[in-house]
Amino acid sequence: MKPVRTRFAPSPTGFLHVGGIRTALFAWLIARQTGGQFILRFEDTDKKREVAGAREHLIRSLLTLGLEYDEGPDIGGQFAPYTQSERLSSYQDWAQVLIDAGKAYADPYTPEQVQEFREQARKEKRPFLYRNHRPENPPAWDGTAPLRFKSTPRAYTRIDAVMGSLRTGPEVIDDFVLIKSDGYPTYNFAHVIDDYEMQITHVIRGQEFLASTPNYLNLYEALGFEPPIIATMPHIMGPDGKKKLSKRDGAKDVLDYVRDGFLPEALVNFIASLGWNDGTEQEIFTRAELIAKFKIERVQRSGARFDEHRLQWMNGVWIRSLNIDELYDRSREFWPKSSAGYDDTYKKRVLGLIQERLKYFAEIPALTEFFFVDLPIHMELIDNNKQLKKLERTELKQLLEHAHVSLGQSNFSVEDLTQRLNGLLEQTGQKPGVLFSLIRIASTQAPFSPGLADTLSVLGPDVTLRRISQTIDSLL
Ligand code: GLU
């Protein structure tokens, strides 16, 4: 495959949601798989929508997910600058080329006049088009009026790398604004110029630009540019698959997921799977596998469903693939304050016990708290337990007393504890559902915990026996 040049061209207007980062990821993947370049460009021509800090945030999001770019606003490159507001002279130059060729004109109308044209079109039941109102003798463009493209309406049959063959008629072609009266170009104009000057070969972007693409093709023609290959990403849908994903469905900023302890490799894996698979049942892909296997043509045309449970499952798979040292290293900042006095070896043992069920690191405090502090005794844990609530308090107390004696003689190795726990079953004639639940509640004060013998072994004799005694006392 020939090396390609792709770009991610966000506007610094806020947070980076999964849809945005998916576009970036796909552009990055095809650049990497062909040994090409991935470029970051800031499209900041709409000053009113700009949000402070958004640029740093976008950069941090890309780098956190490992989508490093080869050229960009902060690192420069052959076609610098990579920020549209710093490229105004380029747009002026190309605007002049269009004016000279008779393909752009100053828009002489006031908003009120345009409103009248619209009304008139509405009354006559025809669509409003600017090109029906081209001024006969437009004033020379002095930069104070908007500059409009003089389009050449025609039909297009084009191939979108994802959407396939698309046909549109001349009625969708209109005279759009190239440069606004504030001197800034529109997105419609600026991105065509930039993609050309930056030698972008593949444009990957969201579905919101699909309808305007014939107009861009018309502009490419007027400028004599070869259009790039265009791949339009379908929307990402909410969990019900019917509505576009919204914040209400749990669509968070990518860095929010990182803050919750989702691993970048799992996020990349999950985001790649939104609307793409390799044609097999494989779901877990490393970054290297994605680079090798991703094909833009295999992105599905219909909206991809966003399911946060699937992301949690996938993150769990990635968590289980790490060895304990690495997992511990990467989860360091998520441990509860109460763990501060405990050493790494102890915490690693705890981590080893929860690794199997851990979905993301922000769950660590809730899953591990009882390894670090004595929690208050909650009688409801016993009272609400289906099996335990059938027993009298005196029976419960006796069971715990037996346990205290037997465990008090243990060396607290997992093997010995397992043997003793099984011995207690025989001795008391109880089912594990009763006896083990009771010992678990007494020693952890948690309704769930990892395997009982493993848990007690990590807690050690002092803590285990103390907590069992305390529970016995409170059963009086
Ligand atoms: N600045 C546009 C946006 O943020 C980028 C569209 C494109 O990739 O061409 O939506």
Side-chain angles (χ1 to χ4, degrees), residues 7 9-11 43 187 204-205 209:
R7 71 346 181 242
S11 304
E43 305 208 321
Y187 161 77
I204 293 155
R205 67 179 163 214
F209 301 99

Side-chain angles (χ1 to χ4, degrees), residues 138-270:
W141 186 59
D142 62 0
T144 58
L147 185 71
R148 259 184 208 282
F149 176 48
K150 188 170 175 186
S151 61
T152 309
R154 52 162 283 202
Y156 285 99
T157 300
R158 64 185 206 270
I159 306 287
D160 183 287
V162 171
M163 298 293 170
S165 178
L166 301 170
R167 269 164 178 285
T168 48
E171 69 283 355
V172 304
I173 305 293
D174 198 8
D175 292 0
F176 59 88
V177 172
L178 300 169
I179 304 218
K180 297 174 279 183
S181 52
D182 65 2
Y184 281 95
T186 56
Y187 161 77
N188 297 340
F189 184 44
H191 88 275
V192 167
I193 300 301
D194 290 342
D195 286 342
Y196 171 76
E197 291 196 333
M198 296 176 182
Q199 299 181 10
I200 300 302
T201 60
H202 292 60
V203 165
I204 293 155
R205 67 179 163 214
Q207 204 170 329
E208 58 273 33
F209 301 99
L210 195 62
S212 325
T213 302
N215 278 293
Y216 305 150
L217 294 178
N218 210 247
L219 178 61
Y220 278 110
E221 262 169 33
L223 288 162
F225 298 167
E226 168 95 17
I229 291 172
I230 297 174
T232 301
M233 293 299 121
H235 288 312
I236 296 182
M237 313 302 277
D240 66 356
K242 294 196 189 101
K243 282 194 305 294
K244 243 173 84 177
L245 182 67
S246 70
K247 269 193 182 169
R248 222 169 319 133
D249 304 313
K252 285 187 278 195
D253 185 279
V254 212
L255 289 182
D256 284 339
Y257 285 109
V258 175
R259 262 189 294 276
D260 282 348
F262 285 86
L263 298 167
E265 48 270 60
L267 283 165
V268 164
N269 188 165
F270 175 72

Side-chain angles (χ1 to χ4, degrees), residues 33-34 38 83 90 97 110 146 153 155 169 255 287 289 333 336 343 360 375 437 440-441 461:
Q33 69 187 185
T34 60
F38 173 62
T83 297
S90 255
V97 168
T110 62
L255 289 182
R287 197 176 291 262
E289 284 174 312
E333 59 190 273
D343 63 20
Y360 51 97
L375 299 175
S437 300
R440 182 190 305 278
I441 290 171

Side-chain angles (χ1 to χ4, degrees), residues 5 45 84 92 140 144 237 258 311 333 364 370 386 433 442:
R5 287 176 59 83
T45 57
Q84 287 188 330
Q92 293 286 341
T144 58
M237 313 302 277
V258 175
L311 169 59
E333 59 190 273
I364 290 178
F370 65 81
K386 254 202 248 133

